[in-house]
Amino acid sequence: MEKVMVKGTEAIGEAAIRAGCRHFFGYPITPQSELPEYMAKRLPEVDGVFLQTESEVATVNMLYGAACTGKRVMTSTSSPGFSLMMEGVSYMACAKLPAVFVNVVRGGPGLGDIQPAQGDYWQATKGGGHGDYRLIVLAPSTVQEAVDLTVLAFDLADKYRTPALILADGLLGQMMEPVEFPEFRDLSTLPDHSDWALIGAKGREPHIVTSFDIDPYKLEKMNLELVEIYKKIEENEVRWEEYKTEDAEIIITAFGTIGRIAKSVVDMARKDGIKVGLFRPITVWPFPYKPLEELANKVDMFFDVEMNMGQMLEDVKLAVKDKRPIKFYSRMGGVVPTPTEILNALKEEIRR
Amino acid sequence: MKKVLYKMPESLTGKEFTYCPGCYHGIIHRLVAEVIDELGIREKTLVVSPIGCSVFAYQFFNMDGTIAPHGRAPAVATGMKRARPDLYVFTYQGDGDLAAIGTAEIMHAANRGEKITTIFVNNAIYGMTGGQMAPTTLLGMKSTTTPYGRKAENDGYPMHMCEFLKEAKGVAYLARTKVNTPQDVEKTKKAIKKAFLAQVKGLGFGMVEVLSTCPTNWGIDPISAGKWLEENMVPEYPLGIFVDKVGDEE
């Protein structure tokens, strides 16, 4: 299939449509407004529904309602907008509603700025909303990967009846790259949710979709059902990329955009005779603890690089378990480090 | 010859209501169910239950349904209706739900002319959380958070949702009624039917605000509550039909 030059945000939108998504609800926020704009133009062409909502709070609840009917649904936003959606995400996770969220992360906390950052890692992987729940969180590092992971996000959301999140950032959203799109999914082949979806109680008992039970024993049962789902996801859906790790003495750990920059750092370091490899989680939940731990048995040191204050660093530490030293380099507030800056920081750590 | 004069509507499950004695939720539930039965749309209707005393509405209505987060029922219903325009969707909301935390969602759903139906039960107080002030609490009225009576200078004025919403061009039917007399029950049923017909005919948003009682949190007996509603709520919240684009009932 032919490759086309596409902007990250628009590529995610097109991938969603090809994955069978026909319902998009969203509210503009920089740096991802091109995604709702793309959907506003594109969805009517495929008999889909685009609705610009009055707020992110309304957005997530429209998503909730549309997902209740068993359709593939999606929204996109950026950090402050995703914070506003958190209540609804918690409701959807508990109500076992499949949906795809895209968070094109910007500088934070608070209003922050509109430049790329990774400060929403904790919110994405450890909660954000209230209660015990998890999201499948996929962190692409190229526009092509964003396309592939968007399709995967819909399939995983449907398979496990849970919301999935594409955790991108402003850089990935705004950059243009050549992309190969998948074929259009035949809507008639999408998963049949008629066993639970709200589609009218004709000739059967009513279907009830809720995140609620006043009886604590019944609610605990609902919680335990979620635990079972999350266990299955952890068993089956861990994804990561390794680059030049076979003979590496130092492993850079990085996700998303910075994972891509780190790849250049690996090549530059090797030219300087330093044996560096890259470990890039693709699912940041479930986090690839085991494969990272296996690397800890073989290498001398880890160098975690992030555009936040060290949020994934905690998961890296959980995986490496004090077996090897872990150094950390970060930039924040929307500053994207250059490969040279990262390499210099790495050399500094080696000298110590 | 035997003739059935009165039976459980098919749109109710028959599960015993959990509401306090003298609360009008039971009457209003039944009216909604009778209307859905009469329109023959039960198998194509989705109920969006609220937060608050009527959180269990999904257990009483015999149809597919969910519970929306506090105030967000119109957004949830919008998502449902946009995804399945062939189905009928209604929200059932109290005053705390619709006139406080959910003001934005109801205003925008109405203004978009969302083809959904809203049953708005106004009893001028927060019920389930134990009698705190609602946006609809009357001036001078005591609640657990207005122990000296609601004062405009501190708490603002009672919210008149019908009066706000009547200006929204997407509204196809809008009425305020009460159910404390048999005649009012009949009028309310007609209004609810029209609010659903606004949806069935694809005309736009339909809402009926029903003035209701809360003997438990008002601290009076059910008979006095009906009287109190008549004497205090009706002057503040005038009854009437604010918008009617449905026309004569078929």
Side-chain angles (χ1 to χ4, degrees):
Chain A
M1 206 175 175
E2 186 184 345
K3 285 197 173 187
V4 282
M5 276 292 276
V6 197
K7 199 175 197 176
T9 42
E10 297 180 344
I12 291 171
E14 182 62 30
I17 290 170
R18 286 170 188 246
C21 174
R22 293 292 180 275
H23 297 84
F24 185 99
F25 304 88
Y27 188 80
I29 178 170
T30 311
Q32 63 80 51
S33 297
E34 297 89 343
L35 184 36
E37 283 168 3
Y38 184 81
M39 297 308 246
K41 185 167 176 291
R42 192 74 179 86
L43 275 170
E45 294 174 353
V46 291
D47 295 326
V49 173
F50 168 85
L51 185 60
Q52 180 169 326
T53 68
E54 63 269 32
S55 70
E56 286 89 348
V57 175
T59 302
V60 70
N61 286 287
M62 288 182 196
L63 217 59
Y64 179 109
C68 276
T69 71
K71 297 286 176 77
R72 289 199 156 180
V73 297
M74 182 193 202
T75 188
S76 66
T77 187
S78 183
S79 304
F82 197 51
S83 288
L84 281 174
M85 292 181 187
M86 283 292 96
E87 177 195 46
V89 171
S90 166
Y91 273 68
M92 290 181 78
C94 189
K96 296 202 278 188
L97 288 173
V100 173
F101 292 80
V102 180
N103 182 2
V104 181
V105 182
R106 61 190 239 179
L111 187 55
D113 65 16
I114 59 170
Q115 304 303 323
Q118 297 186 317
D120 299 358
Y121 180 92
W122 280 335
Q123 183 191 49
T125 61
K126 313 290 182 199
H130 55 285
D132 280 308
Y133 76 91
R134 290 290 197 178
L135 296 179
I136 296 173
V137 188
L138 304 163
S141 68
T142 66
V143 178
Q144 181 65 60
E145 196 180 19
V147 165
D148 299 340
L149 293 184
T150 298
V151 177
L152 178 68
F154 278 102
D155 289 340
L156 293 182
D158 268 336
K159 184 176 175 187
Y160 295 101
R161 275 187 69 183
T162 189
L165 168 66
I166 303 289
L167 188 67
D169 65 51
L171 198 68
L172 190 67
Q174 296 295 316
M175 80 171 53
M176 287 184 85
E177 283 190 299
V179 158
E180 196 175 308
F181 282 111
E183 294 293 332
F184 282 88
R185 199 69 66 85
D186 178 353
L187 297 187
S188 67
T189 65
L190 295 181
D192 172 26
H193 293 313
S194 59
D195 57 327
W196 59 265
L198 307 186
I199 48 180
K202 192 173 182 179
R204 58 157 168 77
E205 288 293 302
H207 287 164
I208 306 297
V209 170
T210 80
S211 62
F212 169 79
D213 206 303
I214 199 81
D215 178 340
Y217 295 98
K218 286 183 183 163
L219 186 63
E220 185 182 46
K221 196 167 158 270
M222 282 169 73
N223 274 269
L224 290 171
E225 280 171 20
L226 293 180
V227 170
E228 282 308 307
I229 290 174
Y230 301 146
K231 265 190 205 160
K232 282 198 182 105
I233 296 170
E234 283 178 300
E235 280 164 22
N236 302 323
E237 306 301 342
V238 176
R239 288 169 168 81
W240 74 96
E241 182 196 7
E242 290 186 35
Y243 180 63
K244 297 189 179 172
T245 54
E246 298 79 12
D247 62 339
E249 291 163 0
I250 299 168
I251 296 288
I252 298 180
T253 48
F255 75 97
T257 283
I258 201 87
R260 171 203 194 107
I261 297 170
K263 218 175 218 178
S264 307
V265 178
V266 169
D267 291 335
M268 287 161 72
R270 283 184 175 261
K271 273 183 195 156
D272 292 347
I274 314 168
K275 283 189 179 171
V276 180
L278 170 70
F279 184 90
R280 181 175 67 86
I282 293 169
T283 48
V284 284
W285 195 85
F287 189 84
Y289 291 110
K290 276 181 197 160
L292 189 55
E293 186 184 0
E294 279 162 24
L295 280 177
N297 298 325
K298 299 195 289 191
V299 305
D300 298 330
M301 180 181 120
F302 288 87
F303 188 62
D304 184 55
V305 187
E306 299 182 62
M307 294 194 293
N308 58 41
M309 60 196 280
Q311 298 191 7
M312 189 180 79
L313 179 60
E314 295 190 354
D315 284 321
V316 173
K317 284 178 178 170
L318 279 174
V320 173
K321 296 190 177 101
D322 289 332
K323 288 180 181 175
R324 295 289 180 270
I326 305 165
K327 306 295 178 184
F328 176 60
Y329 175 77
S330 89
R331 300 303 298 271
M332 282 179 277
V335 178
V336 182
T338 65
T340 310
E341 283 173 328
I342 298 172
L343 182 63
N344 289 342
L346 174 63
K347 284 179 177 169
E348 187 80 9
E349 289 296 349
I350 294 168
R351 268 198 296 276
R352 271 185 201 165
Chain B
M1 206 167 84
K2 281 180 191 170
K3 195 179 165 196
V4 177
L5 292 175
Y6 196 75
K7 62 169 185 162
M8 179 68 72
E10 210 191 331
S11 292
L12 288 178
T13 55
K15 186 183 158 74
E16 206 171 306
F17 292 144
T18 40
Y19 302 113
C20 299
C23 165
Y24 292 166
H25 270 313
I27 298 170
I28 302 163
H29 276 23
R30 180 169 177 111
L31 294 179
V32 172
E34 285 178 357
V35 163
I36 292 171
D37 275 12
E38 284 169 23
L39 292 171
I41 57 172
R42 184 191 72 84
E43 293 177 338
K44 294 182 79 178
T45 298
L46 310 182
V47 53
V48 183
S49 304
I51 302 297
C53 293
S54 41
V55 69
F56 293 112
Y58 70 94
Q59 294 184 348
F60 307 133
F61 287 106
N62 184 23
M63 56 199 66
D64 281 6
T66 190
I67 309 175
H70 199 184
R72 316 301 173 212
V76 170
T78 296
M80 288 173 166
K81 188 72 182 186
R82 294 296 182 116
R84 286 297 302 264
D86 56 319
L87 298 179
Y88 304 105
V89 185
F90 77 98
T91 73
Y92 191 99
Q93 302 178 260
D95 41 61
D97 202 64
L98 182 139
I101 195 168
T103 333
E105 283 76 15
I106 195 68
M107 294 293 251
H108 285 272
N111 197 55
R112 279 193 305 267
E114 216 60 63
K115 295 176 186 68
I116 60 172
T117 304
T118 292
I119 309 301
F120 170 35
V121 181
N122 176 5
N123 62 6
I125 203 156
Y126 280 62
M128 185 175 267
T129 45
Q132 298 84 4
M133 183 187 75
T136 47
T137 295
L138 305 180
L139 289 177
M141 186 175 163
K142 284 186 178 175
S143 74
T144 58
T145 49
T146 53
Y148 308 108
R150 181 176 187 166
K151 291 187 185 73
E153 59 271 28
N154 191 60
D155 312 306
Y157 295 90
M159 291 276 277
H160 295 81
M161 293 309 295
C162 284
E163 285 78 357
F164 286 152
L165 288 170
K166 72 178 183 188
E167 302 300 332
K169 292 213 167 64
V171 174
Y173 186 79
L174 182 63
R176 184 184 286 127
T177 66
K178 60 189 175 82
V179 287
N180 58 317
T181 72
Q183 293 89 331
D184 287 312
V185 168
E186 278 308 304
K187 281 184 190 168
T188 299
K189 185 174 169 181
K190 275 186 185 151
I192 290 173
K193 192 162 196 176
K194 279 208 162 183
F196 272 94
L197 277 171
Q199 180 175 182
V200 170
K201 293 181 171 182
L203 300 172
F205 177 81
M207 184 178 102
V208 181
E209 173 178 347
V210 187
L211 300 184
S212 188
T213 51
C214 185
T216 301
N217 286 302
W218 290 357
I220 50 179
D221 64 81
I223 304 290
S224 307
K227 200 161 168 265
W228 193 91
L229 180 150
E230 192 70 46
E231 289 170 358
N232 297 281
M233 285 186 75
V234 174
E236 178 68 36
Y237 297 111
L239 306 180
I241 295 162
F242 294 84
V243 178
D244 184 357
K245 297 177 188 166
V246 179
D248 290 334
E249 224 180 286
E250 277 143 36

